[in-house]
Amino acid sequence: MTSTGFGKGCHLHLIDGSAFIFRAYHALPPLTRKSDGLPIGAVAGFCNMLWKYISGQNGSNAPTHVAVIFDHSSKTFRNDIYPEYKANRPELPEDLRPQFPLTREATRAFNVACIETEGFEADDIIATLACQARDAGGAVTIVSSDKDLMQLVGQGVNMLDPIKNKAIGPDEVVEKFGVGPDRVVDVQALAGDSVDNVPGAPGIGVKTAALLINEYGDLEALLERAGEIRQPKRRQTLIDFAEQIRISKKLVQLDCQTPLDFSLGSLEVRDPESEALLDFLSRMEFRTLTARVAETLGVEAPAVVSAPASIAPAAPDMPAMGANGYQTLSDLAALEAWIDDIRETGHVAIDTETTGLDEMQAGLVGISLAVRPGDACYIPLAHVEGEGDLFGSGDRLPGQLETAEVLEALKPVLEDPAILKIGQNVKYDWKILARHGISMAPVTDTMLMSYALNAGTHNHGMDELAERYLGHKCIPIKELIGSGKAQIGFAQVAIDKAAPYAAEDAEVTLRLWQHFAPLLSSERVTTAYETLERPMIPVLAGMEMAGVKVNGDTLKRMSNAFAQKMAQLEEEIHQLAGEKFNVGSPKQLGEILFDKMSLSGGKQGKTGAYSTSADVLEDLAAEGHDLPARILDWRQVAKLKSTYTDALQSHVNPDTGRVHTSYSIAGAQTGRLASTDPNLQNIPVRSDEGRRIREAFVATPGHRLVSLDYSQIELRILANVADIPALKQAFRDGIDIHAMTASQMFHVPVEGMDPMVRRQAKAINFGVIYGISGYGLSRNLRIPRAEAQAFINTYFERFPEIRVYMDKTVADAKEHGFVRTLFGRRINTPGINASGPAAGGARRAAINAPIQGAAADIIRRAMIRMHAAIRHLPAKMLLQVHDELVFEVEESAAEDLIAAARQVMEAAAEPAVKLSVPLVVDAGIGENWAEAH
DNA sequence: ACGCTCACG
DNA sequence: GACGTACGTGAGCGTA
């Protein structure tokens, strides 16, 4: 061995970088850096393996030269031979992508050669290096268990499986492929590879391929003499697919001629430079590894703080809000300086200011950035003349950078996988920027961090969080834009007023991130945040931007019909009442019903007003009164018209012709989403007349709407978490769950069951999920309270596990102040120790939360995985309605979509949770939502 | 701004 | 023994 070259006696180790990364990623839970939530699990595993590898090598097998080889780009010469090559590869998990650059950084930090070449796969580089080293008379060990590399094994070249720590020589290759290393490509060419999408010969696997190759010697001989094969089907396959097999061979044959711009000698093993290595490890916040490496290198371990240098300042040193004054950027040089700072720091808090609140229409007015406390800036882009003057010129104010220029400069930063973008409700900013061609990643969200930590305790708006956790009162937006009729748009706000407001928002966001990030792990909600909250941002943004097509003409016609009907009913009502009054006013109606007509039904509520709710009116109608019956009819029509047919039309986006709802991720306490502007989660379905509104939700021509919904998901979760054998068995057997309940309770056979009996059992089943009471059930079923209570008692006798679950859940809530779902979502229960009437409510909420919450978790998991699962189909996910997902798909692919989406939904709990009951998904297809549901 | 009513799961 | 009570949402309307 020489220091300048490579030759006899040298031993080169080639480490397959991707294999290390994937192995590390899948072997470890989704770890995140404590200080900022950056996903870091694969990097941690990678470093551990690399260190173990480097420090553990000794004896005769020790390398003299070593390199880690990475893939560089997805397109290689193989795509020219066969465009479909590796086309089936699933998309990288979102939390893995940003870790790739970090593993390269890690390799360099360990002072190991880090090799990648544009347009070439790691396997080809490995092949080239192995050939060169072997030809120079040295030995080679390829550290990988990838079967595609086994063709390289032979004289002077062997492999090492890093997981099993087992050598792979010619014997092991024969064991795997049935042929020696020199014939491996022939077998692979025949057998194909579904992972890499190498076609091979249909119906021929490794076993058959090896048999054939061993019989005929090699692939060419086999193809030439294919006519001699005795089995007719096999013979025909080899004749018909000869060309495809030859292409397959070219795909699997590794290229030993990759151009390399370094010599083998430069790969010589070097000791790590302890300072650089320890700096990297401590920046990653790997405590154990940092200490271990420091010990081995014989140096002092640097302190690993959960907050890296940039966010470390202790409270007394923490600069005050806006300490350095907020900078307003008006030239590109200043912006470049900020960009440099962001790159250096590795993260940035960002906030966009816009002309309105509808992300699909609002224009970008300015962007604010913050890198560390005390340092924030505002970039005004589209402020116009006109504050305090209704007739302002509307001209763009001077002193602002061009939007296009600013976005062009920021785009590489916002899309850089190694730079974390921090936002407060960042889905909003993500959508605004997406409309300008920027796909922001990776992102993290202080609102969602607060939700993961504090759901149930308080809301998660920025002003509230700033006051609670930073003791800072934000500038109210009203001070800038006013309120009510005199309200102006943000673009009309003077720049010198807008800048401190906007920059403050970015700085508050940064500080909230510093506050929340370490709490995620100490409060044990990192997994919930990383798997249930953060990945929802791009998923929902995509659905919201896609929107759903709504037929405005259909709605208009319905509105007209409803208006006619309302007028008719109104006339009838006035006649029955004997006077004209506002039918829509509960107050006036109550006075007519109960004062004027003296019907039974008392006052209610603290306002002293009569209740005229549907319950009350239904009772009166049942007594034979016409007026309440007509009122109920009128209300139904009025509701449909005002809330649906009228309002929905106004929500059709003029640019897209579609309706774009917005989902709040952190709105509901339990993990459910909430849909707003408009709410598409409460479109009528229960009444025939209301359901017709769904006919206005349509697929574009040539497409279909597909709806998939979970069957009885909450009851299935109840059966699982409360561990109720009878219920679990019923779900496993796929029998009618309500009939089964009735049968168990009332000792009647399921066959020929009275529908009323089943209905009662169904009401009880649902009641249990809500924390049932005799009173509630009696109202729901309209039966005497004593009877309802008797049902409940029987139910608990039959299914005693439910009582146990309820008691345990409430006890948990009291002890910890929160409950958790199966998936680790935390829902706080601050009211649980209250006394008085509120206590009952808090109890029921605590009982319900783990059930409703787990169902919400499951559909979130399905949605997060859906994109990759249906990527190959001409389909888009459009809507979520708690247990239902709605897609739009090209007509011909509808069945394929159902198969793929159902698979994802039914397996959504796994692998985190193995439910003891199956999840079942029903599906429907139609030209509109009414048909599909 | 708040309460009532009612649409959904 | 009395007291209230189903769980989780959002929107439109009338009233103060």
Side-chain angles (χ1 to χ4, degrees):
Chain A
M1 176 174 86
T2 70
S3 60
T4 53
F6 184 94
K8 213 168 168 58
C10 292
H11 193 161
L12 172 63
H13 279 212
L14 298 168
I15 297 172
D16 182 352
S18 305
F20 261 44
I21 295 171
F22 280 99
R23 165 70 191 162
Y25 179 74
H26 288 111
L28 293 173
L31 306 175
T32 55
R33 183 157 67 184
K34 191 170 180 181
S35 60
D36 62 357
L38 182 76
I40 211 88
V43 182
F46 182 91
C47 288
N48 268 308
M49 287 161 76
L50 197 57
W51 174 245
K52 224 161 124 189
Y53 179 79
I54 288 177
S55 60
Q57 289 296 337
N58 47 35
S60 60
N61 199 32
T64 59
H65 296 69
V66 65
V68 181
I69 298 95
F70 293 95
D71 288 312
H72 189 86
S73 67
S74 52
K75 195 176 176 305
T76 68
F77 71 91
R78 289 185 178 82
N79 294 103
D80 298 332
I81 303 173
Y82 188 65
E84 300 301 306
Y85 179 67
K86 293 205 173 174
N88 286 348
R89 280 287 166 95
E91 201 165 302
L92 284 179
E94 208 212 342
D95 58 336
L96 178 54
R97 214 174 312 151
Q99 301 192 59
F100 276 86
L102 291 172
T103 55
R104 286 155 172 75
E105 210 181 309
T107 308
R108 291 188 201 99
F110 278 98
N111 209 7
V112 170
C114 174
I115 294 169
E116 54 190 315
T117 305
E118 170 79 50
F120 290 90
E121 287 185 68
D123 287 0
D124 294 311
I125 302 174
I126 291 173
T128 304
L129 287 169
C131 291
Q132 288 182 6
R134 185 195 56 204
D135 294 348
V140 178
T141 297
I142 298 167
V143 185
S144 172
S145 53
D146 188 345
K147 61 178 172 24
D148 296 337
L149 290 167
M150 290 187 181
Q151 58 183 277
L152 299 171
V153 170
Q155 200 62 49
V157 180
N158 63 1
M159 287 175 70
L160 178 70
D161 181 335
I163 298 151
K164 298 175 188 151
N165 200 22
K166 182 171 158 268
I168 301 169
D171 292 347
E172 285 74 21
V173 174
V174 172
E175 197 177 305
K176 169 99 190 164
F177 282 105
V179 297
D182 52 333
R183 293 276 86 87
V184 161
V185 287
D186 292 350
V187 169
Q188 285 186 296
L190 285 166
D193 185 335
S194 59
V195 178
D196 289 349
N197 209 25
V198 172
I204 291 186
V206 170
K207 285 271 152 58
T208 314
L211 207 73
L212 290 166
I213 294 298
N214 283 327
E215 190 175 340
Y216 290 84
D218 62 36
L219 186 65
E220 266 317 306
L222 169 68
L223 291 178
E224 271 165 33
R225 294 165 53 199
E228 301 170 22
I229 297 174
R230 284 174 299 278
Q231 298 86 339
K233 195 154 170 243
R234 200 175 283 175
R235 182 172 61 231
Q236 204 53 46
T237 300
L238 286 186
I239 293 169
D240 291 348
F241 290 92
E243 192 49 33
Q244 183 172 312
I245 294 166
R246 289 196 173 93
I247 288 174
S248 297
K249 180 165 176 174
K250 283 188 189 160
L251 293 177
V252 297
Q253 178 84 58
L254 296 181
D255 176 12
C256 283
Q257 306 296 329
T258 310
L260 300 174
D261 55 5
F262 56 87
S263 69
L264 286 176
S266 67
L267 305 181
E268 193 174 0
V269 170
R270 301 170 292 230
D271 283 336
E273 283 165 23
S274 49
E275 198 179 323
L277 177 54
L278 291 171
D279 173 64
F280 174 80
L281 295 175
S282 59
R283 259 196 295 130
M284 293 295 109
E285 299 168 26
F286 301 150
R287 283 181 177 68
T288 317
L289 186 60
T290 304
R292 203 183 298 154
V293 169
E295 198 193 328
T296 309
L297 297 178
V299 297
E300 183 89 0
V304 175
V305 283
S306 37
S310 61
I311 64 166
D317 304 337
M318 178 76 98
M321 283 288 304
N324 304 343
Y326 292 130
Q327 212 183 330
T328 301
L329 304 192
S330 54
D331 63 278
L332 279 176
L335 177 60
E336 287 302 336
W338 272 85
I339 289 174
D340 289 345
D341 196 2
I342 292 167
R343 288 199 172 282
E344 188 111 330
T345 314
H347 61 242
V348 59
I350 182 166
D351 186 39
T352 56
E353 304 300 338
T354 56
T355 55
L357 289 176
D358 176 357
E359 310 93 305
M360 286 301 291
Q361 297 195 61
L364 186 56
V365 177
I367 298 173
S368 51
L369 307 170
V371 171
R372 63 187 70 79
D375 264 335
C377 69
Y378 182 58
I379 313 165
L381 298 171
H383 286 265
V384 295
E385 186 76 36
E387 183 173 20
D389 178 5
L390 278 174
F391 304 100
S393 66
D395 288 344
R396 187 166 177 274
L397 287 168
Q400 302 182 88
L401 285 162
E402 291 294 331
T403 301
E405 276 182 337
V406 169
L407 292 181
E408 193 188 326
L410 282 176
K411 183 176 161 91
V413 171
L414 298 180
E415 295 184 345
D416 189 327
I419 297 174
L420 183 68
K421 273 66 68 175
I422 307 152
Q424 162 72 16
N425 188 18
V426 77
K427 172 159 67 71
Y428 182 90
D429 310 279
W430 197 97
K431 286 167 73 177
I432 295 289
L433 291 168
R435 284 178 44 226
H436 288 88
I438 292 175
S439 180
M440 197 158 54
V443 291
T444 200
D445 193 326
T446 48
M447 180 183 78
L448 300 186
M449 289 182 169
S450 176
Y451 185 58
L453 288 159
N454 308 314
T457 306
H458 55 71
N459 291 330
H460 317 282
M462 183 161 68
D463 291 2
E464 178 161 7
L465 296 181
E467 239 179 295
R468 268 176 189 275
Y469 297 103
L470 306 178
H472 175 79
K473 227 172 150 31
C474 292
I475 303 168
I477 183 71
K478 276 183 194 160
E479 283 185 11
L480 275 67
I481 60 172
S483 66
K485 254 180 82 167
Q487 193 169 327
I488 58 172
F490 200 86
Q492 278 81 41
V493 176
I495 293 175
D496 62 348
K497 267 185 163 178
Y501 167 87
E504 178 187 88
D505 278 3
E507 181 175 1
V508 164
T509 302
L510 184 93
R511 287 174 185 253
L512 286 173
W513 172 67
Q514 293 180 355
H515 173 79
F516 286 132
L519 290 177
L520 293 181
S521 63
S522 63
E523 296 296 313
R524 307 172 53 102
V525 293
T526 306
T527 306
Y529 175 73
E530 290 295 336
T531 63
L532 300 171
E533 311 295 348
R534 197 162 97 146
M536 292 299 285
I537 296 167
V539 173
L540 293 175
M543 292 167 67
E544 294 167 12
M545 293 185 76
V548 58
K549 187 174 180 196
V550 169
N551 190 326
D553 292 341
T554 307
L555 291 177
K556 206 169 189 175
R557 254 184 289 125
M558 288 179 175
S559 278
N560 290 338
F562 288 148
Q564 271 192 357
K565 194 158 178 193
M566 277 171 75
Q568 240 170 40
L569 283 165
E570 218 165 305
E571 200 172 315
E572 248 182 279
I573 287 165
H574 289 159
Q575 240 163 33
L576 285 165
E579 64 177 291
K580 293 207 166 187
F581 70 103
N582 184 347
V583 183
S585 160
K587 184 167 179 280
Q588 293 179 32
L589 174 65
E591 278 157 14
I592 289 190
L593 289 173
F594 301 113
D595 288 342
K596 184 174 173 191
M597 300 172 70
S598 310
L599 302 179
S600 54
K603 287 177 197 254
Q604 279 197 351
K606 22 190 180 271
T607 54
Y610 293 112
S611 170
T612 67
S613 69
D615 266 5
V616 174
L617 298 186
E618 274 164 25
D619 286 345
L620 292 174
E623 287 167 25
H625 300 291
D626 280 343
L627 180 55
R630 293 289 84 76
I631 298 280
L632 284 168
D633 294 341
W634 182 90
R635 280 202 185 152
Q636 195 200 358
V637 180
K639 177 81 174 179
L640 293 177
K641 182 172 187 295
S642 70
T643 309
Y644 298 105
T645 55
D646 287 353
L648 222 40
Q649 292 181 61
S650 70
H651 280 287
V652 176
N653 183 301
D655 301 325
T656 65
R658 297 169 76 97
V659 171
H660 304 266
T661 185
S662 182
Y663 290 100
S664 43
I665 315 178
Q669 322 262 315
T670 54
R672 273 195 179 178
L673 301 177
S675 160
T676 64
D677 308 302
N679 181 355
L680 296 186
Q681 291 181 320
N682 72 345
I683 304 300
V685 71
R686 291 174 189 169
S687 75
D688 290 334
E689 194 155 31
R691 187 160 51 237
R692 298 209 53 198
I693 289 171
R694 295 190 173 218
E695 293 171 10
F697 289 74
V698 295
T700 48
H703 291 66
R704 290 290 181 270
L705 290 186
V706 165
S707 159
L708 296 102
D709 67 290
Y710 284 109
S711 162
Q712 312 282 14
I713 187 165
E714 290 191 1
L715 270 179
R716 287 170 198 266
I717 289 165
L718 173 71
N720 188 88
V721 298
D723 199 17
I724 307 162
L727 215 48
K728 291 200 290 189
Q729 194 56 46
F731 279 125
R732 282 195 209 112
D733 295 344
I735 63 175
D736 180 335
I737 201 69
H738 302 309
M740 187 284 291
T741 308
S743 169
Q744 295 254 327
M745 281 183 62
F746 306 119
H747 304 288
V748 295
V750 170
E751 307 288 322
M753 178 176 291
D754 179 353
M756 275 303 292
V757 172
R758 182 181 178 279
R759 201 185 127 235
Q760 290 180 332
K762 182 175 175 180
I764 297 174
N765 274 333
F766 281 115
V768 163
I769 293 172
Y770 301 146
I772 199 163
S773 75
Y775 176 84
L777 185 65
S778 77
R779 276 174 55 109
N780 188 295
L781 286 176
R782 296 176 178 274
I783 56 175
R785 194 167 155 184
E787 203 177 318
Q789 191 56 55
F791 283 173
I792 293 170
N793 293 344
T794 311
Y795 189 89
F796 282 136
E797 278 167 35
R798 287 280 149 220
F799 307 106
E801 298 86 1
I802 290 185
R803 170 101 299 147
V804 175
Y805 162 78
M806 289 179 159
D807 292 346
K808 189 182 162 317
T809 304
V810 172
D812 259 20
K814 283 188 170 157
E815 189 189 339
H816 301 117
F818 61 82
V819 293
R820 280 186 193 269
T821 67
L822 282 173
F823 299 88
R825 171 187 299 285
R826 169 173 165 165
I827 297 143
N828 297 298
T829 55
I832 197 74
N833 288 314
S835 57
R843 259 180 63 89
R844 289 189 298 273
I847 291 166
N848 175 257
I851 302 170
Q852 188 179 114
D857 294 345
I858 286 174
I859 197 163
R860 282 185 182 218
R861 291 169 63 89
M863 292 167 73
I864 290 161
R865 294 176 191 175
M866 196 58 75
H867 177 77
I870 66 171
R871 198 162 47 111
H872 61 291
L873 295 170
K876 272 198 171 127
M877 180 160 65
L878 304 185
L879 302 175
Q880 189 251 43
V881 193
H882 309 308
D883 65 356
E884 174 189 11
L885 294 174
V886 179
F887 299 81
E888 187 171 31
V889 57
E890 275 181 25
E891 189 182 347
S892 59
E895 292 294 344
D896 290 343
L897 172 71
I898 288 177
R902 171 181 273 144
Q903 158 68 29
V904 170
M905 289 173 76
E906 291 186 343
E910 300 161 23
V913 170
K914 179 70 194 149
L915 291 176
S916 54
V917 292
L919 292 178
V920 171
V921 169
D922 299 322
I925 305 177
E927 292 186 20
N928 61 58
W929 197 4
E931 283 175 20
H933 185 75

